[in-house]
Amino acid sequence: MNTGSATPTGPLREDGAPTTLRLSRAQRKAIVAGTIGNTVEWVDWALYSIFAKIIADEFFSKSDGPVALLSTLAVFAVGFVMRPVGAAVLGAYADRHGRKKGMTVTVGLMAGAGFVIAITPSYDSIGIVSPLILLFSRLVQGFSAGGEFGSSSAFLVESAARGRRAFAGSWQQVSVAGGVLVASLLGTLATSTLSDDALHSWGWRVAFILGGLLGLVGLWLRVSVADTDSFAQVQGAGRTRTNPVKAMFVEHPAAALRVAGITVAGTLTYYIWVNYLPTYANLTTGIPLKTALLSQTLCLVVFVIALPLVGVVSDRVGRKPTMAAFAGGFTVLAWPLLHLLGNSFLSLFLVQLVGMLLILGYSANCAVIMAEQFPAEVRATGIALPYALAVALFGGTAPYLTTWLHESGHSDLLWVYVSAASLISLVVYLTMPETKDKEFS
């Protein structure tokens, strides 16, 4: 893709080279296309956790409610097992054949699996076949999500002007949060306007169908966009690797470990605060699900608006201080935040809002900091695979673990897990090299 030369309007770096701050028209178009396509893909992924309790009733036996919910969340976690597989296969595909082709495959798989979930008959109709179809669909979605992060992150960061890489990369997470926001809006609309019978019988299925249709829009957008200059240069110079996964591990092992360490606290707090907190609050405090979803929706609006602004801050002050603020904040505030969670809208809103504001330090930086660890020929794989492994271990298990702690009477221990993970990532952030001004191919 010919992104055009950006205008060197920024201050000079120490080596005398200009720090480019202005995005060209072609670069802005690429970022918009990448963001919208990624947003609609994540609608399908987020709908599962939003309707977890209803899916538990539809796809599992109603004889034991807590077991059905835990089974539903186990399927959610198992979907994450496929993320490293998808990261390895689709990340390598994007490094060999281009970011555009990689992103086209992922959105098609995600939308198709969403349609399957929407039309699958309930457990009462077809018995054990129903949860098996659900499991297969989530495995496909996990495979897709595993490849999506590396391809879309590489695409967005490679489309940026020098000095705007964090700003451009932040739109990867804007699109993820935007997908969760759209899913949350669908959930809020469904739970607020439909009776319980209508919501269980067909309302949640309509939400999944709409998510699948949005996925087709994302597919169209991705087919219409060109690839990045970075990939074109790698391809033109004959630097594409036959086995990007092997090249990533052999030639860049420290960078791969660093990406995993960067991800630990980010994925854990993200899946608790951004995805699962409405369901968790409903379980632990009794707050109505529609009230919890309204709080989530309002907080997500603030989160999405603030993400690019924190990306701009990162481009100015660096990756390390902004990420350290996130991890240090959760290390200290996990206990008071989780103990303040109550059954009122205000308490839930404040807990969600403070948590999401802290997560900005991670989400605005994760795409760019991971992209800056690797050269273009292994960048999509290098971002996707270590990230997916960490997400599978810490993100995918978060809803299951939080529910299990509640069911076993140990909800008060969740803060220990969050603080410990945040402390691990804080050490990684403080000891990693600053990459804000790193040369980028």
Side-chain angles (χ1 to χ4, degrees), residues 80-145:
F80 280 77
V81 174
M82 288 300 291
R83 290 187 69 154
V85 180
V89 174
L90 297 177
Y93 180 81
D95 279 329
R96 289 196 304 266
H97 303 288
R99 318 319 186 197
K100 170 186 172 177
K101 290 183 178 180
M103 294 191 301
T104 300
V105 171
T106 59
V107 73
L109 290 173
M110 185 71 77
F115 278 124
V116 171
I117 293 174
I119 64 174
T120 299
S122 67
Y123 183 91
D124 291 341
S125 299
I126 59 174
I128 192 65
V129 177
S130 182
L132 289 177
I133 295 175
L134 177 68
L135 175 61
F136 175 77
S137 299
R138 286 299 290 181
L139 290 175
V140 172
Q141 289 189 322
F143 182 83
S144 168

Side-chain angles (χ1 to χ4, degrees), residues 86-312:
V89 174
L90 297 177
Y93 180 81
D95 279 329
R96 289 196 304 266
H97 303 288
R99 318 319 186 197
K100 170 186 172 177
K101 290 183 178 180
M103 294 191 301
T104 300
V105 171
T106 59
V107 73
L109 290 173
M110 185 71 77
F115 278 124
V116 171
I117 293 174
I119 64 174
T120 299
S122 67
Y123 183 91
D124 291 341
S125 299
I126 59 174
I128 192 65
V129 177
S130 182
L132 289 177
I133 295 175
L134 177 68
L135 175 61
F136 175 77
S137 299
R138 286 299 290 181
L139 290 175
V140 172
Q141 289 189 322
F143 182 83
S144 168
E148 169 64 26
F149 183 75
S151 299
S152 61
S153 295
F155 178 82
L156 287 168
V157 176
E158 289 174 357
S159 297
R162 178 181 290 172
R164 300 301 298 273
R165 293 199 299 253
F167 172 77
S170 71
W171 288 91
Q172 200 282 336
Q173 289 294 295
V174 169
S175 61
V176 174
V180 177
L181 175 58
V182 172
S184 181
L185 286 170
L186 290 173
T188 301
L189 182 64
T191 55
S192 300
T193 61
L194 299 177
S195 66
D196 284 344
D197 288 342
L199 186 62
H200 280 72
S201 63
W202 58 267
W204 71 272
R205 296 180 185 274
V206 171
F208 270 88
I209 290 172
L210 290 174
L213 292 174
L214 289 173
L216 296 180
V217 174
L219 181 62
W220 172 74
L221 284 169
R222 290 182 170 184
V223 169
S224 66
V225 73
D227 225 314
T228 67
D229 283 343
S230 291
F231 176 74
Q233 290 167 6
V234 167
Q235 192 175 45
R239 287 168 31 216
T240 53
R241 301 299 184 90
T242 303
N243 190 341
V245 176
K246 179 180 178 181
M248 184 267 294
F249 278 120
V250 172
E251 300 173 21
H252 308 280
L257 287 173
R258 194 176 298 122
V259 167
I262 288 169
T263 306
V264 170
T267 188
L268 175 64
T269 55
Y270 191 96
Y271 274 97
I272 291 177
W273 254 265
V274 180
N275 281 81
Y276 189 62
L277 200 60
T279 297
Y280 181 72
N282 173 254
L283 282 173
T284 57
T285 72
I287 189 171
L289 184 59
K290 63 180 180 181
T291 303
L293 287 172
L294 176 61
S295 173
Q296 180 192 47
T297 301
L298 294 174
C299 290
L300 279 169
V301 171
V302 177
F303 185 72
V304 169
I305 293 172
L307 266 169
L309 302 179
V310 179
V312 172

Side-chain angles (χ1 to χ4, degrees), residues 166-167 169-170 173 306-308 310-311 314 359-368:
F167 172 77
S170 71
Q173 289 294 295
L307 266 169
V310 179
S314 176
I359 294 169
L360 287 169
Y362 166 78
S363 292
N365 280 299
C366 62
V368 68

Side-chain angles (χ1 to χ4, degrees), residues 31-112:
I31 292 171
V32 169
T35 301
I36 294 175
N38 202 32
T39 297
V40 297
E41 175 165 0
W42 284 97
V43 172
D44 280 308
W45 183 256
L47 282 173
Y48 188 92
S49 57
I50 287 174
F51 289 108
K53 289 188 69 175
I54 296 174
I55 289 173
D57 292 338
E58 290 297 301
F59 286 89
F60 295 92
S61 172
K62 296 182 179 66
S63 60
D64 193 337
V67 172
L69 180 57
L70 285 173
S71 298
T72 303
L73 296 176
V75 172
F76 179 85
V78 169
F80 280 77
V81 174
M82 288 300 291
R83 290 187 69 154
V85 180
V89 174
L90 297 177
Y93 180 81
D95 279 329
R96 289 196 304 266
H97 303 288
R99 318 319 186 197
K100 170 186 172 177
K101 290 183 178 180
M103 294 191 301
T104 300
V105 171
T106 59
V107 73
L109 290 173
M110 185 71 77

